[in-house]
């Protein structure tokens, strides 16, 4: 092996040995920080959606597609609806779920275990009724008003085959959905505010799909559910002949009575401009649906879900303007920090140029890496002295033997001159010189090696003068 390469490898070996403890400590701190921060999220998350053909189910599929692009599998778990989703979250059976405002009462424990990833969209309370049922209500009202008019000598009132008040539902067959949907709880509050005894209605609790089949078959007079307009069921019922959507004429009053309700309006012709569906503006009341997560859900997953929400819900719709949602308003639970940052600032700069897992790793580790560098930088100053000591030790350790030989030379008496003892000392010096000639050190330390060899010659000359 050429001497230049040998010297280089030797120098690198000494440097690696000197810096080894420092490097091990640095990697140990990085490993500890990685374990503590846990920057990379799990590859699987469970999302509670809702009934078949509901808006929750449709949005769940969009979230699954959005996260699949980042290598995250979203397991969609169907449920009865909002209230069922909240219960699944409380029990820890799902990681995230769609929950409608006003369908449940939150506890102090919920505020510790759950957090909101933002308000996503409004869900109007859709109360569809059959026109023939409305005509029966109108006929009954007309009969009562006719008798009153005849008694007062007035003309008969004109027929009105439409419903605009919950009080008109009395006596009708109304489906309010399963308890897990949260709609029965919401309807109970609205009926109570109208001083309506639920017993005055023929209430059923069928799931959305069988209830719609029964409604279209004439077995029900009205059907109530809360859903985003993207729901296939909503789209179908809005365009079904003989089915009308109740106009909440008191929508403003409902919003003042219930903080979780918002007055909204379905514009004329928004469903089908050519067919002019609906033929008039329809006033509705709506609650805001949020994406709720457990606080134990990985922060990176929370961030990714919130970013997906920006893409999925950020466009204009029937009841919203572009970029109006997601937002941090109307939230009944604290907003998760990751979601707040995503809603406010959008996609982080690094994620626009790097894969999510790389950008996420850098974002979560950079501060810790800065701290580690601040700790290790002062410690790194011991490496050069340690390296110098390691190289010089290969030379200095022979000085002990040389000093011992010199002491014995100085202690030799006249009687010992030219004796076998001096010959033995000379042989030791020759052996020490042979060993010194085999010492290999980096070129920058050869002056010390030659100094050792020169000192050996000095002791030899002293011995030869005896």
């Amino acid at each position: 092996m050429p001497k230049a390469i040998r010297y280089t490898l030797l120098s690198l070996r000494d440097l690696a040995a000197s810096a080894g403890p420092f490097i091990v400590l640095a990697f140990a701190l990085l490993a500890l920080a990685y374990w503590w921060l846990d920057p990379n999220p799990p590859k699987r998350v469970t999302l509670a959606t809702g009934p078949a053909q509901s808006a929750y189910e449709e949005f769940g599929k969009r979230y699954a597609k959005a996260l699949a692009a980042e290598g995250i599998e979203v397991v969609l778990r169907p449920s009865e609806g909002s209230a069922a989703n909240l219960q699944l979250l409380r029990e820890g059976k799902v990681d995230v779920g769609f929950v409608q405002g006003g369908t449940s009462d939150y506890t102090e424990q919920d505020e510790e275990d759950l957090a909101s990833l933002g308000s996503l969209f409004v869900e109007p309370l859709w109360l569809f009724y059959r026109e023939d049922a409305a005509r029966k209500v109108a006929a009954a009202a007309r009969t009562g008003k006719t008798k009153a008019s005849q008694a007062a000598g007035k003309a008969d009132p004109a027929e009105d085959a439409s419903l605009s008040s919950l009080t008109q539902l009395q006596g009708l067959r109304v489906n309010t959905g399963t308890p897990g949907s949260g709609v029965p709880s919401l309807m109970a509050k609205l009926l109570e505010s109208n001083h309506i005894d639920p017993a005055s209605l023929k209430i059923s609790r069928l799931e959305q799909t069988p209830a719609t089949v029964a409604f279209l078959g004439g077995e029900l007079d009205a059907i109530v559910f809360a859903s985003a307009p993207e729901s296939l069921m909503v789209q179908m019922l809005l365009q079904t002949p003989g089915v009308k959507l109740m106009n909440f004429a008191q929508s403003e009053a409902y919003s003042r009575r219930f903080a979780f309700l918002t007055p909204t309006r379905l514009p004329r012709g928004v469903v089908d401009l050519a067919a002019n569906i609906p033929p008039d503006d329809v006033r509705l009341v709506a609650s805001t649906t949020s994406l709720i997560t457990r606080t134990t859900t990985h922060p990176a997953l929370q961030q990714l879900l919130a970013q997906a929400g920006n893409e999925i819900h950020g466009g204009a719709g029937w009841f919203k303007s572009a970029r109006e949602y997601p937002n941090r308003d109307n939230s009944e639970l604290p907003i998760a920090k990751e979601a707040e940052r995503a809603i406010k600032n959008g996609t982080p700069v690094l994620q626009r140029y790097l894969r999510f897992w790389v950008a996420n790793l850098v974002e979560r580790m950079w501060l810790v890496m800065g701290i580690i560098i601040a700790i290790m930088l002062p410690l790194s100053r011991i490496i050069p002295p340690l390296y110098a000591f390691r190289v010089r030790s290969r030379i200095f350790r022979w000085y002990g033997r040389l000093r011992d030989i010199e002491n014995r030379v100085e202690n030799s008496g006249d009687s010992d001159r030219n004796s076998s003892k001096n010959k033995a000392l000379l042989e030791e010096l020759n052996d020490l010189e042979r060993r010194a000639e085999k010492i290999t050190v980096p070129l920058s330390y050869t002056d010390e090696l030659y100094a050792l060899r020169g000192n050996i010659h000095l002791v030899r000359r002293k011995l030869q003068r005896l």
Side-chain angles (χ1 to χ4, degrees):
M1 180 184 298
K3 289 186 177 181
I5 297 178
R6 183 181 179 186
Y7 290 150
T8 302
L9 293 178
L10 182 65
S11 179
L12 291 176
R13 186 192 69 180
D14 290 328
L15 183 60
S18 302
F22 176 83
I23 295 173
V24 170
L25 177 60
F27 275 103
L29 290 175
L30 281 173
L32 181 62
Y34 186 91
W35 172 81
W36 180 56
L37 290 175
D38 189 20
N40 285 330
K43 298 296 183 180
R44 185 184 177 99
V45 61
T46 305
L47 171 61
T49 56
Q53 299 182 342
S54 66
Y56 288 175
E57 182 188 48
E58 177 61 26
F59 285 132
K61 294 177 181 178
R62 297 184 189 180
Y63 275 93
K65 182 178 179 180
L67 269 67
E70 302 296 346
I72 308 295
E73 178 189 4
V74 179
V75 179
L76 303 180
R77 177 159 180 172
S79 68
E80 295 180 357
S82 177
N85 290 350
L86 181 59
Q87 187 60 34
L88 290 172
L89 285 165
R90 286 169 171 167
E91 295 172 357
K93 295 180 179 179
V94 297
D95 301 301
V96 287
F98 298 110
V99 178
Q100 183 186 44
T103 56
S104 300
D105 295 322
Y106 292 103
T107 64
E108 292 184 2
Q109 189 63 40
D110 289 334
E111 294 183 359
E112 294 181 6
D113 297 340
L114 306 177
S116 172
L117 297 182
S119 300
L120 305 180
F121 51 87
V122 294
E123 281 194 290
L125 189 67
W126 305 96
L127 198 161
F128 291 99
Y129 60 91
R130 297 177 60 87
E131 285 189 285
D132 53 2
R135 281 193 288 269
K136 293 178 183 178
V137 172
R142 186 175 67 255
T143 300
K145 290 182 179 179
T146 299
K147 292 180 180 179
S149 298
Q150 290 175 348
K154 297 180 180 178
D156 293 343
E159 180 179 356
D160 181 12
S162 63
L163 304 181
S164 60
S165 174
L166 292 180
T167 56
Q168 295 174 288
L169 297 178
Q170 297 182 82
L172 298 184
R173 299 165 296 175
V174 181
N175 186 81
T176 59
T178 59
S181 67
V183 177
S185 173
L186 179 58
M187 278 297 294
K189 296 175 182 177
L190 299 184
L191 292 175
E192 182 182 2
S193 66
N194 283 275
H195 308 293
I196 300 173
D197 184 358
S200 64
L201 282 70
K202 300 175 182 178
I203 295 177
S204 59
R205 301 289 177 81
L206 300 176
E207 292 185 358
Q208 193 176 98
T209 299
T212 303
V213 173
F215 174 67
L216 296 176
E219 299 174 23
L220 293 172
D221 299 314
I223 181 173
V224 185
F225 56 90
S227 178
E230 286 83 356
S231 169
L232 297 177
M233 204 71 72
V234 171
Q235 299 277 348
M236 182 269 293
L237 289 174
L238 284 171
Q239 302 179 67
T240 301
V243 174
K244 297 184 71 174
L245 178 63
M246 178 174 162
N247 178 46
F248 280 81
Q250 299 170 309
S251 59
E252 285 285 348
Y254 281 113
S255 67
R256 302 296 176 86
R257 293 287 298 273
F258 301 100
F260 54 82
L261 290 179
T262 301
T264 188
R265 180 175 59 89
L266 186 67
R268 173 183 174 181
V270 71
V271 179
D272 190 331
L273 287 170
N276 194 33
I277 300 174
D280 300 292
D281 289 355
V282 181
R283 285 171 288 183
L284 301 171
V285 291
S287 60
T288 303
T289 293
S290 301
L291 188 60
I292 305 301
T293 183
R294 294 187 59 81
T295 52
T296 54
T297 302
H298 196 284
L301 278 179
Q302 295 181 16
Q303 182 187 38
L304 197 57
L305 286 164
Q307 291 173 8
N310 289 339
E311 296 294 327
I312 295 171
H313 307 287
W318 288 3
F319 303 103
K320 62 178 181 177
S321 303
R323 294 179 294 278
E324 183 179 355
Y325 289 91
N327 60 44
R328 295 168 288 172
D329 302 331
N330 302 322
S331 179
E332 297 174 279
L333 287 171
I335 300 291
K337 292 182 179 179
E338 297 294 337
E340 187 171 9
R341 185 174 66 167
I343 293 172
K344 183 179 180 180
N345 302 325
T347 304
V349 175
L350 286 178
Q351 291 186 29
R352 299 173 190 173
Y353 304 99
L354 301 174
R355 294 284 296 175
F356 170 76
W357 70 271
V358 177
N360 177 70
L361 179 63
V362 174
E363 288 176 3
R364 299 186 184 281
M365 291 289 291
W366 72 267
L367 180 59
V368 174
M369 291 179 66
I371 295 174
I372 292 176
I373 291 173
I375 294 173
M376 299 304 294
L377 194 58
L379 293 178
S380 66
R381 296 177 181 176
I382 69 173
I383 294 178
L386 186 62
Y387 172 75
F389 173 78
R390 180 177 176 83
V391 174
R392 288 173 176 170
S393 65
R394 292 205 293 269
I395 301 172
F396 291 163
R397 66 191 182 95
W398 297 108
Y399 275 101
R401 185 175 174 183
L402 182 61
R403 173 61 63 86
D404 178 63
I405 295 173
E406 185 180 16
N407 289 337
R408 282 186 287 161
V409 169
E410 292 176 351
N411 293 332
S412 298
D414 293 339
S415 59
D416 293 330
R417 293 178 180 176
N418 300 320
S419 65
S420 59
K421 184 176 181 180
N422 286 356
K423 292 180 180 179
L425 290 174
L426 184 61
E427 184 60 32
E428 283 189 49
L429 278 174
N430 292 335
D431 179 67
L432 179 58
E433 186 175 24
R434 286 192 296 271
R435 291 176 180 273
E437 290 175 349
K438 295 180 181 179
I439 297 174
T440 304
V441 293
L443 294 177
S444 58
Y445 291 89
T446 52
D447 57 336
E448 298 185 13
L449 177 60
Y450 284 110
L452 172 63
R453 294 170 66 178
N455 290 328
I456 293 174
H457 285 296
L458 288 175
V459 175
R460 179 183 288 113
R461 285 199 295 269
K462 182 184 293 187
L463 179 61
Q464 290 173 345
R465 284 198 300 267
L466 295 177

